[in-house]
């Protein structure tokens, strides 16, 4: 659907998700079929926070669709340094591009920015809020490895500040999925997120734990996140939980042979490199899946013939 915005995974219905994932699978199988579809189309990149995978995969996706990108560059080299507001920045860059991708450190920034532009705006992460395009590539990876029905998933690590977690948890309520959340008490899911999940899904399918061991044998997927040092207002609080959850081959002795381990990356020390060579590891495939999924999403939002993502 033309000129919609993707701000949060809450606006994604099961049908929306399946449309994007199915289109991504088609593109993954035959990228040449869409190679020139968006010639003369420009995607504007506005990243107010560091990014490797999200930024480069969006750029790759747009170029593989036949288009190109215009990049705001670093905050330090932009007019933001002179005091320009986010509203003014997106209105200016809207004049240069056919769609915008925004990452910003403040929760709610993408929603606010979307109110000032008429071209599609995609939220690439807003502080500890949401990261819906990451969620779509996560769901694509889960579907490819374990399916999305009768699934038991453990989500472990920084659940308080982890925007990838918040987005994924909401999207999974569209499917027959049992969700287990594993974290230190200080990094549990925000209570408002827990409340929303209970409203969206039968509460018996959502469980919180401090220990992985008790539920590891039952998991089909383990989604690991790093403890995000940059989100902590107090360094001492970060040090109390840094390195508390780590996965190595000893940890996985009790796991199913079919367990899929995912991570949005970057990792620090939460997954040992020895896991990379096992059949459990799916996190590098997960990162690679960002390209076909974002190609599919751009195709749908810029006017693909199968419809697109609805705005709330």
């Amino acid at each position: 659907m033309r000129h919609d915005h993707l701000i949060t995974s809450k606006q994604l219905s099961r049908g929306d998700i399946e449309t994007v994932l199915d289109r991504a699978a088609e593109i993954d199988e035959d990228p040449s079929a869409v190679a020139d579809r968006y010639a003369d189309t420009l995607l504007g990149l506005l990243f107010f926070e560091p990014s490797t995978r999200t930024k480069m995969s969006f750029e790759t996706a747009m170029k593989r669709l036949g288009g190109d990108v215009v990049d705001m560059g670093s905050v330090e080299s932009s007019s933001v340094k002179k005091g320009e507001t986010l509203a003014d920045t997106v209105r200016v860059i809207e004049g240069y591009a056919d769609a915008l991708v925004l990452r910003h450190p403040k929760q709610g920034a993408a929603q606010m920015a979307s109110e000032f532009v008429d071209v599609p705006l995609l939220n690439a992460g807003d502080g500890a809020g949401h990261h819906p395009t990451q969620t779509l590539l996560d769901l694509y990876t889960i579907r490819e490895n374990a399916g999305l029905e009768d699934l038991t998933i453990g989500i472990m690590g920084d659940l308080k500040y982890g925007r990838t977690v918040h987005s994924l948890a909401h999207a999974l309520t569209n499917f027959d999925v049992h969700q287990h959340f594993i974290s230190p008490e200080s990094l549990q899911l925000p209570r408002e997120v827990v409340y929303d999940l209970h409203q969206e899904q039968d509460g018996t399918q959502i469980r919180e734990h401090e220990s992985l061991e008790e539920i590891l044998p039952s998991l089909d997927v383990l989604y690991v996140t790093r403890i995000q040092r940059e989100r902590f207002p107090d360094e001492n609080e970060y040090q109390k939980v840094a390195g508390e959850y780590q996965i190595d081959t000893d940890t996985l002795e009790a796991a199913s042979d079919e367990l899929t381990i995912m991570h949005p990356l970057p990792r620090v020390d939460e997954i040992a490199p020895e896991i990379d060579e096992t059949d459990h590891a799916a996190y590098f495939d997960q990162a690679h899946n960002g390209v076909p999924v974002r190609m599919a999403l751009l195709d749908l939002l810029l006017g693909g013939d199968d419809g697109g993502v609805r705005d709330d």
Side-chain angles (χ1 to χ4, degrees):
M1 186 180 300
R2 254 178 225 279
H3 305 317
D4 279 348
H5 307 303
L6 180 55
I7 307 302
T8 168
S9 64
K10 290 182 181 181
Q11 74 191 73
L12 296 170
S13 69
R14 178 173 179 146
D16 292 329
I17 292 168
E18 291 176 340
T19 295
V20 176
L21 302 193
D22 290 346
R23 179 66 64 86
E26 293 171 1
I27 290 172
D28 210 3
E29 185 174 347
D30 184 14
S32 64
V34 292
D36 299 316
R37 181 168 292 178
Y38 292 98
D40 301 321
T41 300
L42 290 175
L43 180 66
L45 303 179
L46 301 86
F47 280 72
F48 290 73
E49 282 188 321
S51 174
T52 300
R53 281 154 297 280
T54 302
K55 187 174 184 180
M56 291 189 70
S57 64
F58 263 117
E59 183 170 0
T60 302
M62 191 70 256
K63 289 184 175 181
R64 287 188 174 174
L65 288 168
D68 209 338
V69 299
V70 287
D71 187 350
M72 182 187 82
S74 70
V75 171
E76 294 299 314
S77 64
S78 74
S79 291
V80 176
K81 190 68 176 175
K82 301 175 183 177
E84 184 173 67
T85 66
L86 176 60
D88 283 358
T89 298
V90 295
R91 281 186 287 194
V92 167
I93 298 180
E94 176 189 22
Y96 307 148
D98 302 288
L100 304 177
V101 179
L102 173 67
R103 170 169 290 186
H104 199 279
K106 291 186 178 179
Q107 188 169 341
Q111 178 62 52
M112 185 277 289
S114 72
E115 296 170 4
F116 291 91
V117 296
D118 293 321
V119 300
L121 184 143
L122 296 92
N123 180 10
D126 60 332
H130 283 264
H131 195 348
T133 69
Q134 176 71 43
T135 291
L136 288 166
L137 72 91
D138 290 342
L139 292 172
Y140 184 81
T141 306
I142 292 170
R143 191 173 78 166
E144 291 290 295
N145 285 273
L148 282 168
E149 293 302 329
D150 192 24
L151 177 77
T152 302
I153 182 171
I155 303 178
M156 184 177 80
D158 181 356
L159 311 185
K160 180 178 182 179
Y161 299 112
R163 58 194 176 202
T164 61
V165 168
H166 304 162
S167 281
L168 180 60
H170 283 294
L172 285 171
T173 62
N174 287 288
F175 300 91
D176 179 18
V177 176
H178 297 263
Q179 299 191 61
H180 295 269
F181 299 98
I182 308 106
S183 70
E185 184 176 359
S186 62
L187 291 179
Q188 288 181 337
L189 280 173
R191 294 303 90 184
E192 63 270 20
V193 175
V194 174
Y195 175 80
D196 285 348
L197 293 176
H198 280 295
Q199 298 302 306
E200 295 165 13
Q201 183 183 58
D202 180 356
T204 61
Q205 293 185 302
I206 297 167
R207 293 284 184 265
E208 294 182 274
H209 312 266
E210 289 190 33
S211 170
L212 173 64
E213 286 71 18
E214 61 183 288
I215 49 97
L216 178 60
S218 68
L219 298 182
D220 301 303
V221 175
L222 176 60
Y223 190 97
V224 184
T225 66
R226 70 184 173 93
I227 307 296
Q228 299 181 87
R229 186 174 199 162
E230 69 273 19
R231 304 282 179 216
F232 281 72
D234 186 333
E235 174 68 16
N236 290 331
E237 292 302 310
Y238 167 75
Q239 292 299 334
K240 289 178 183 178
V241 293
E244 187 162 338
Y245 291 94
Q246 298 177 325
I247 303 296
D248 57 24
T249 52
D250 290 339
T251 309
L252 298 182
E253 287 182 1
S256 164
D257 291 341
E258 305 301 316
L259 176 70
T260 296
I261 298 178
M262 297 172 59
H263 193 304
L265 302 177
R267 63 175 165 181
V268 181
D269 57 4
E270 57 275 6
I271 299 179
E274 64 195 45
I275 302 298
D276 300 355
E277 304 306 317
T278 71
D279 292 336
H280 298 296
Y283 30 89
F284 292 116
D285 287 339
Q286 181 183 352
H288 297 158
N289 288 338
V291 173
V293 170
R294 289 178 170 124
M295 288 175 72
L297 186 57
L298 288 170
D299 185 27
L300 291 163
L301 288 175
L302 288 168
D305 55 10
D306 288 339
V309 178
R310 295 189 301 272
D311 230 351
D312 277 348

